[in-house]
Amino acid sequence: MKEKELVFMDHDGGIDDILSLLLVLTMEDKELIGINVTPADCFLEPAMESTYKMLQLFGREDIPIGRSDYHGVNAFPNEWRARPEVINALPMLINLPKSPNPYEYPTAVELLIEQLTKAERKVTILMTGPCSNLVHALQKAPEIQAKIGKVVWMGGAFRTGGNVHAFQHDGTAEWNVYWDPSSAKALFEFDLPLFCIPLDVTNLVPVNKEFLSKLAYQSKYQVSNLAGQIWAMTIDTIPSYHYTYFMWDILATSYLAIPQEFMMEGSRAKVAVRPPNAGQTYLDWEGNHLEFGVKVNKYAFYEYILKQFQRDF
Ligand code: AGV
Ligand code: CA
């Protein structure tokens, strides 16, 4: 039998981050060796709780969780950070035991170093939030770089506009980069096999009612039922364009399983760290090499999600 691909996930507790964790847990040929939670698009405690509850549903409480203490220079709006708490109150989750005290967990940097150090083969790092933990871990323990097979990051906007609308900003940045631009700059400067799934390609996959309807028709499967309830929480952000909820992290997570459905472009890029474009990811000949998604076969993508979610816990 083929050995499973080792995956370490670093997420920031948003609604689609939790759905992405659900998706990773359904992937039969991946082995999740750790999960870090960053308090970026979430408040820490509720997001640790939903992470632990997802693990309980799959009987995988053995997977270690790390707690990130970083706070980016550009905080996410509190209205967004508060949403994920609703997940913990859903009927399938509310009565599950709460996570142990999050302050007894290892820090995200400690856990990442520990799990990479003891991994017997290379590890894929999946990041669906800011990249601060990975960058700090690499700075503290440079030897772990040899254990990284590839880094897949939902982050950036290369040939399209950003999604940050803030004072002192020209709108060119994507939020996961903008939260901590200096870390993103450092990430791009490491010589890593980096695969970004930026807004260029996530813009093609909004959460839409047609997809949610298909998911609902298969809600006899527990995973589909729960996912449908979580996704319903995002629908009130439609139709105003700027606030459309996309399948950002879900798309990046799918890249682990169906890379053949993506068109990637190889280029060199840098990250801006000062106003008016802090957090902008831009193509630059003097930057390091990376690959970023430009297109996806979205029918194959939606079908893949529907198929993965046809199961019980
Ligand atoms: O920029 C996309 C990232 C993804 O990792 N996040 C949401 C996804 O988890 C930030 C974000 C952008 N627009 C948002 C976001 C919105 N309208 N609501 C919540 N988060
Ligand atoms: Ca996220």
Side-chain angles (χ1 to χ4, degrees):
M1 209 183 88
K2 220 174 139 242
E3 280 190 323
K4 290 188 179 187
E5 176 182 352
L6 303 182
V7 176
F8 191 107
M9 182 176 187
D10 196 308
H11 75 71
D12 70 334
I15 293 174
D16 66 334
D17 294 83
I18 300 301
L19 284 160
S20 300
L21 172 58
L22 195 66
L23 181 60
V24 175
L25 289 166
T26 67
M27 293 181 180
E28 256 132 38
D29 58 345
K30 315 282 179 231
E31 187 178 331
L32 193 54
I33 61 165
I35 307 166
N36 278 342
V37 182
T38 303
D41 204 358
C42 67
F43 291 109
L44 185 73
E45 297 80 0
M48 301 285 279
E49 183 178 330
S50 23
T51 301
Y52 184 68
K53 286 184 169 176
M54 290 295 141
L55 294 183
Q56 283 181 71
L57 289 175
F58 284 82
R60 292 305 311 271
E61 299 95 316
D62 59 298
I63 300 173
I65 305 174
R67 179 196 77 244
S68 174
D69 291 325
Y70 290 113
H71 286 279
V73 284
N74 300 302
F76 277 83
N78 280 342
E79 291 75 16
W80 295 357
R81 297 183 69 192
R83 298 299 307 284
E85 171 72 312
V86 181
I87 295 175
N88 294 324
L90 292 175
M92 275 161 120
L93 299 172
I94 190 158
N95 293 327
L96 293 177
K98 281 204 174 202
S99 46
N101 181 356
Y103 296 95
E104 282 169 11
Y105 283 129
T107 69
V109 169
E110 280 165 7
L111 184 67
L112 196 49
I113 295 175
E114 188 187 330
Q115 295 305 81
L116 286 179
T117 305
K118 72 178 189 211
E120 281 164 8
R121 41 187 199 280
K122 294 209 175 187
V123 177
T124 296
I125 312 275
L126 169 66
M127 298 188 295
T128 60
C131 62
S132 324
N133 303 316
L134 175 61
V135 167
H136 286 86
L138 280 164
Q139 285 165 348
K140 197 167 166 204
E143 66 281 3
I144 61 172
Q145 187 162 345
K147 290 292 185 68
I148 298 177
K150 61 175 185 282
V151 176
V152 175
W153 188 26
M154 191 285 120
F158 293 88
R159 295 191 194 280
T160 187
N163 60 5
V164 170
H165 307 283
F167 291 106
Q168 288 260 70
H169 205 275
D170 63 7
T172 52
E174 182 280 322
W175 264 101
N176 288 342
V177 185
Y178 179 66
W179 193 75
D180 180 1
S182 312
S183 286
K185 178 173 185 285
L187 179 75
F188 279 28
E189 287 168 3
F190 281 112
D191 197 12
L192 287 164
L194 177 60
F195 298 83
C196 287
I197 303 298
L199 298 186
D200 306 60
V201 62
T202 61
N203 281 342
L204 301 173
V205 290
V207 178
N208 61 51
K209 284 196 181 164
E210 189 193 333
F211 169 78
L212 293 189
S213 161
K214 286 187 180 162
L215 192 62
Y217 277 120
Q218 58 179 53
S219 59
K220 64 170 188 210
Y221 296 104
Q222 290 174 325
V223 176
S224 292
N225 188 15
L226 179 61
Q229 294 188 27
I230 297 177
W231 256 313
M233 294 167 53
T234 68
I235 277 294
D236 61 347
T237 51
I238 293 175
S240 147
Y241 174 75
H242 286 315
Y243 295 100
T244 297
Y245 208 92
F246 291 91
M247 296 171 105
W248 300 282
D249 299 347
I250 301 284
L251 189 66
T253 305
S254 303
Y255 183 70
L256 301 186
I258 49 165
Q260 73 279 5
E261 305 295 348
F262 288 72
M263 191 196 285
M264 305 294 283
E265 180 176 330
S267 194
R268 293 167 171 272
K270 287 191 173 181
V271 179
V273 293
R274 298 209 186 99
N277 60 336
Q280 182 187 11
T281 49
Y282 59 96
L283 303 181
D284 189 309
W285 182 242
E286 287 172 10
N288 262 357
H289 177 86
L290 55 74
E291 292 199 22
F292 64 97
V294 285
K295 286 228 161 80
V296 63
N297 175 350
K298 62 180 198 170
Y299 303 100
F301 161 70
Y302 286 119
E303 283 309 310
Y304 170 71
I305 303 297
L306 290 169
K307 180 179 83 47
Q308 281 306 110
F309 284 179
Q310 281 170 10
R311 55 166 281 176
D312 294 324
F313 297 114

